[in-house]
Structure formats: structure tokens, C-alpha cells
Amino acid sequence: MHKGKGMKFVGDSRISAERKPNVPKDYSEYPGRTEAFWPNFLLKEWLVGAVFLAGFLTLTLAHPSPLEGVADPTNAAYIPLPDWYFLFLYELLKYEFASGDWTIMGILVLPGLAFGGLLLAPFLDNGPGRRPHQRPVAVGMMLLGLASVIWLTYESAAHVDWEQRAEANKPIPASDVQIDTEDPGYAIYENNCLQCHGEDLQGGAAAPGLIGTEYSAEEIATIAVEGVGSMPPEQFQGNDEELQQLVDFIVSVNEQAE
């Protein structure tokens, strides 16, 4: 044949000159063994992810995480806790073999071995089977890791009273209340209460805020003399007239806040 008469030239004689659409391979002849990544496998992944995301959002709406106050570096009594997904590592550091002189074991060696083992699991158990009993190494390592994380997380959080913790560390909203330092009661407050309750009555590490208090004037006077809760008695040093001025000052600030 001469050039241009019934012959088509392509780069490789094994490649057809006719272009065909890219149709995914039909895997029906291999039932249960393999499937097309798009769209079969990817659709299953998206479906599982969507169900998990919907369940997670429902849980956060039904049981929202309590907010706490602004971090106070001067409060030595406060025990910080990491987020829930780090609680198992936090609990691990409580054991003797992972704390003290062995801290490097708890923060690097043990977590590194655990996560490194999970990364190596597909290479250690690379058989063609997909059922759990056909992949004992990978499944065993995954179950061991999952059980360890669940147990350490439970041990770390079981003794914490989350409701009491949230109640004791409520966030203090910003206040636009202007404190009248010329008020005669402020001078008395400054000498008796400011050290614990703060100069703006917002409280601190040692005492709660006085703005938004639910106590009446009579109860405030009684507490100033007799104390309440962790506040010891006889904190107020002054006469009855000064006590009344202090109470009037605190009440006036709260009325302004309302």
C-alpha cells in the first residue's frame, strides 16, 4: 500500500488508531474480590464519612463541651487537662515507666513504637484476603492499639467530675461597668476585698467575681463578716457604718451592670 491509501500511521503499531471512551473495567466476573475505585469504593467511603460526621455533630449539639474561664497562670490549684483525643497520652505519663527519669519513654519511645507498628501492619500482613481472620497481624495490632487507647482514655477521665469542674471555672464575660473609685465604699472595698476579688470586682484565682452576684444586701453584709465557702470569717475590718458603705457600693455596681 502506498502512503495515504488505507493505511493510518500511529506512534506504535500496537495502539489502535480509533479512540475509545475510557470505560471502567467490568468487575462482575470477580464477585467479592475487587471493585472499581470510582465510583463504587469511593462512594462507600463517602457514605461512611457522612454517617460519622452526622453522628458526631449530633453528639456535640446534644452534649456541648463546657467552656471554662481564661487561663490564669497564678492559680496553682487548677489542674489542666488536654483535649479528649490526647487523654490517653496524658494517662500514660502517670506510670512509673513513662514518667520522671523515664519521661522520654512516655512521650517518644512508646507512642513511636505504637504508631510505627500500625504503619508497618499493612506490610507485615500483605496477603490477598480481606476478611479479619485472613489478616491476623494487622487486625491484632489494630485491636490492641484501639483497646489501649480506650482504656487509657477511660482511666484518665473516670475520676474527673466534669460538671463540678465547669461550674468552678466558668468564663467571666467582659464587663462594661464603670467602677466609681470616688465612691466612699470603694476605699473600704480596696482595703478589705480588692486583694481577692480584684479592682474591677471581676474576681480572680482566689475568689469569685462580685458583679452579677445573687446575694441580697443583707447577705453580702453577713458574708463580709462571717465568710462563706472557702472565704474565712473576719475578713472585713471596719465598723458598722463602713460595712454599710461597702454593701451599698457592691449593690450599686450590680445595679449598674443590670
Side-chain angles (χ1 to χ4, degrees), residues 211-245:
I211 297 179
T213 181
E214 298 177 354
Y215 295 113
S216 63
E218 293 76 12
E219 291 172 328
I220 294 175
T222 302
I223 292 172
V225 177
E226 300 179 1
V228 64
S230 61
M231 176 182 173
E234 299 180 359
Q235 291 296 298
F236 175 75
Q237 303 295 325
N239 53 38
D240 293 342
E241 182 181 356
E242 292 174 335
L243 177 61
Q244 186 60 46
Q245 290 177 337

Side-chain angles (χ1 to χ4, degrees), residues 7 19 65 77 79 83 120 181 220:
M7 180 179 292
R19 297 184 61 86
S65 300
I79 301 177
D83 291 322
L120 291 176
T181 57
I220 294 175

Side-chain angles (χ1 to χ4, degrees), residues 78-164:
Y78 180 81
I79 301 177
L81 287 175
D83 291 322
W84 64 269
Y85 42 82
F86 282 132
L87 281 177
F88 72 99
L89 290 175
Y90 176 78
E91 179 67 18
L92 182 64
L93 296 177
K94 297 180 182 179
Y95 295 99
E96 293 182 3
F97 58 82
S99 60
D101 296 335
W102 299 93
T103 303
I104 194 70
M105 182 72 70
I107 64 176
L108 288 179
V109 178
L110 292 178
L113 289 175
F115 289 105
L118 293 177
L119 290 175
L120 291 176
F123 303 97
L124 298 176
D125 195 351
N126 56 1
R130 299 179 61 182
R131 299 181 182 277
H133 68 274
Q134 295 175 326
R135 307 191 66 185
V137 176
V139 174
M141 294 179 67
M142 180 60 70
L143 291 177
L144 179 61
L146 183 62
S148 301
V149 170
I150 292 176
W151 171 253
L152 290 173
T153 302
Y154 172 78
E155 284 292 305
S156 179
H159 67 281
V160 180
D161 189 338
W162 299 101
E163 294 182 358
Q164 181 181 2

Side-chain angles (χ1 to χ4, degrees), residues 10 14 26-27 46 58 66 77 92 102 116 119 122 127 150 183 205 207 245 257:
V10 293
R14 294 170 298 176
D26 182 13
Y27 292 93
W46 285 348
T58 302
L92 182 64
W102 299 93
L119 290 175
I150 292 176
D183 191 300
Q245 290 177 337

